[in-house]
Amino acid sequence: RLLPLFAILALVLSGCRGENFVSALRPAGEVADMQFGLMKLSTYVMIGVILVVMIIFVIIFFRFRRRDDKDETIPKQVEGSHTLEIIWTAIPILLLLILAVPTVSATFRLADVSPMDKKNSDALVINVRSHLYWWDFEYPDQKLVTSQELVVPTNERVYFNLKSLDVKHSFWIPAAGGKLDTNTDNINKFWLEFDDKRSNEAGNLFYGKCAELCGPSHALMDFKVKAISRDKFDAWVTAMQDIKEPQKAQSDLAVQGQDIFNKSCIGWHAVTPENKMPETARMAPNLTNFGDRARIAGILDHNKEKLKQWISNPETYKPGNEMTGKYGELSDQELDAVAEYLMGLKVQE
Ligand code: CUA
């Protein structure tokens, strides 16, 4: 009879193993550590309260139970006890203080975005803009734009301005902490820090999610964060800034793909990274460094086959996305060419 129970338990546990990197219980950054500390503190306080209450309950249950049917004595009735009243007022106050002081202090630390406002601060600022099912990342000081994959330096505070261009979304990188709504009518600000300790099969990659129900593809509104050393980050910024015009296709097939792309897609997808106005150039994910990315559309494995499948039928993979129906049908050969071209858009080897 226990077998199904064990089977379910095994399933649950196996589910946990592969997805550890989306767990807030394995913190990999200053904010995440802070939040994990608060979670542990409140859990310990709760366990303590439950234990004490349960122990008193069990003792009273047995000590004061009716011993036999003829026992009609009523226990001693107590009315008003200053000592007891002080004890049961003081203990909860003390517990609330133990929870409140670290929580409020963490809240203030997290809300301190003052380096963003200082003209000569070298704080890295990133403007995050959410759209229905994809993410746009702008580096205002570096004058760069990228999409779907955020690149950040490790071991330093990164400051975020969060905004949405359509409906309410929420920016969440579980292992780095945080989680804050992106709204259309105001800008939310906070900072995160990314440890270099965390490694998975794709390097120091953090997984990001949309955490606010926003439409049929809400659960698929993923993004990735590549956390690299400051040196590598600076090199990435320079390499991106060097791209002033679309990269040249490397093969005949890619050249054909670029032609198709220039006819059908470039009106939406930019393949240069500068953050120039007008806004219309940023209404679909920027693809400048598409070839370097770890996922297609945030969710699919990054290979040519998957890319062809995505382009030929985006609606299957992300229902309700804006790309569907924006271009005519492509033949398999044309898909092959476009995929070849896009996979070749690399900024770093
Ligand atoms: Cu965007 Cu949920």
Side-chain angles (χ1 to χ4, degrees):
R1 240 180 299 152
L2 285 177
L3 206 63
L5 196 71
F6 281 126
I8 291 170
L9 196 68
L11 206 65
V12 169
L13 290 177
S14 65
C16 294
R17 216 181 53 195
E19 299 290 319
N20 265 340
F21 44 78
V22 285
S23 173
L25 304 180
R26 282 188 64 211
E30 194 182 341
V31 175
D33 284 336
M34 208 151 73
Q35 293 175 340
F36 188 52
L38 290 174
M39 280 188 240
K40 280 195 291 190
L41 177 70
S42 55
T43 308
Y44 295 152
V45 168
M46 281 187 282
I47 290 174
V49 169
I50 289 171
L51 277 182
V52 169
V53 169
M54 289 317 288
I55 289 169
I56 294 176
F57 174 78
V58 169
I59 290 174
I60 290 175
F61 188 79
F62 283 103
R63 243 188 98 184
F64 298 101
R65 75 188 192 279
R66 200 180 183 195
R67 305 220 176 226
D68 59 65
D69 286 348
K70 288 177 205 100
D71 183 9
E72 294 295 336
T73 55
I74 292 170
K76 186 183 154 207
Q77 302 295 294
V78 181
E79 260 176 61
S81 161
H82 285 305
T83 323
L84 268 179
E85 280 165 23
I86 287 170
I87 289 175
W88 73 50
T89 309
I91 292 178
I93 288 177
L94 191 71
L95 291 179
L96 285 180
L97 280 177
I98 290 173
L99 289 175
V101 172
T103 306
V104 172
S105 101
T107 306
F108 276 99
R109 267 170 73 193
L110 194 55
D112 175 25
V113 290
S114 52
M116 286 171 108
D117 307 322
K118 297 196 183 98
K119 278 276 172 288
N120 49 6
S121 137
D122 55 3
L124 176 64
V125 176
I126 295 173
N127 298 333
V128 176
R129 310 203 312 184
S130 57
H131 298 255
L132 277 163
Y133 321 131
W134 65 277
W135 300 85
D136 178 273
F137 305 112
E138 179 188 19
Y139 300 70
D141 297 330
Q142 290 73 17
K143 300 192 168 31
L144 288 180
V145 167
T146 188
S147 297
Q148 301 289 47
E149 246 171 71
L150 178 62
V151 180
V152 292
T154 48
N155 304 331
E156 66 180 80
R157 290 184 179 186
V158 180
Y159 293 83
F160 294 95
N161 285 312
L162 306 177
K163 190 170 170 45
S164 173
L165 288 238
D166 37 48
V167 301
K168 209 181 268 250
H169 304 270
S170 182
F171 180 78
W172 189 31
I173 306 162
K179 180 157 92 174
L180 200 56
D181 278 3
T182 65
N183 299 330
T184 49
D185 46 4
N186 71 310
I187 290 174
N188 279 337
K189 293 167 188 274
F190 76 157
W191 60 270
L192 293 172
E193 185 260 346
F194 302 83
D195 279 358
D196 57 8
K197 299 193 286 268
R198 173 67 62 91
S199 268
N200 49 48
E201 82 284 353
N204 207 31
L205 203 63
F206 289 74
Y207 284 59
K209 303 285 295 178
C210 174
E212 179 71 56
L213 186 60
C214 53
S217 285
H218 155 69
L220 305 169
M221 193 171 158
D222 294 5
F223 62 98
K224 302 284 168 287
V225 185
K226 230 174 237 171
I228 51 183
S229 68
R230 199 14 134 153
D231 289 350
K232 281 188 181 159
F233 176 76
D234 289 339
W236 177 78
V237 167
T238 312
M240 285 286 272
Q241 286 169 336
D242 281 348
I243 296 174
K244 303 286 184 213
E245 52 193 72
Q247 301 175 63
K248 285 210 166 55
Q250 296 299 321
S251 65
D252 290 350
L253 188 61
V255 169
Q256 189 206 344
Q258 186 168 23
D259 285 344
I260 299 167
F261 184 87
N262 287 347
K263 265 186 230 130
S264 311
C265 324
I266 208 158
W268 287 281
H269 294 283
V271 282
T272 47
E274 72 271 47
N275 62 340
K276 64 180 179 203
M277 299 299 158
E279 293 285 316
T280 45
R282 284 172 62 188
M283 291 318 285
N286 185 300
L287 301 177
T288 307
N289 59 345
F290 181 81
D292 296 330
R293 294 182 188 168
R295 288 287 188 281
I296 295 162
I299 44 172
L300 302 174
D301 286 350
H302 195 80
N303 60 54
K304 209 174 145 185
E305 260 333 286
K306 281 276 183 258
L307 179 57
K308 285 169 69 178
Q309 289 168 12
W310 164 255
I311 300 170
S312 65
N313 200 351
E315 188 65 17
T316 324
Y317 298 99
K318 249 188 199 183
N321 80 80
E322 289 286 325
M323 181 163 157
T324 305
K326 287 285 193 321
Y327 49 89
E329 226 159 81
L330 300 175
S331 70
D332 191 62
Q333 200 277 330
E334 288 169 321
L335 279 173
D336 205 45
V338 175
E340 179 76 13
Y341 166 62
L342 291 175
M343 282 298 192
L345 295 177
K346 289 182 181 210
V347 174
Q348 274 183 322
E349 281 311 308

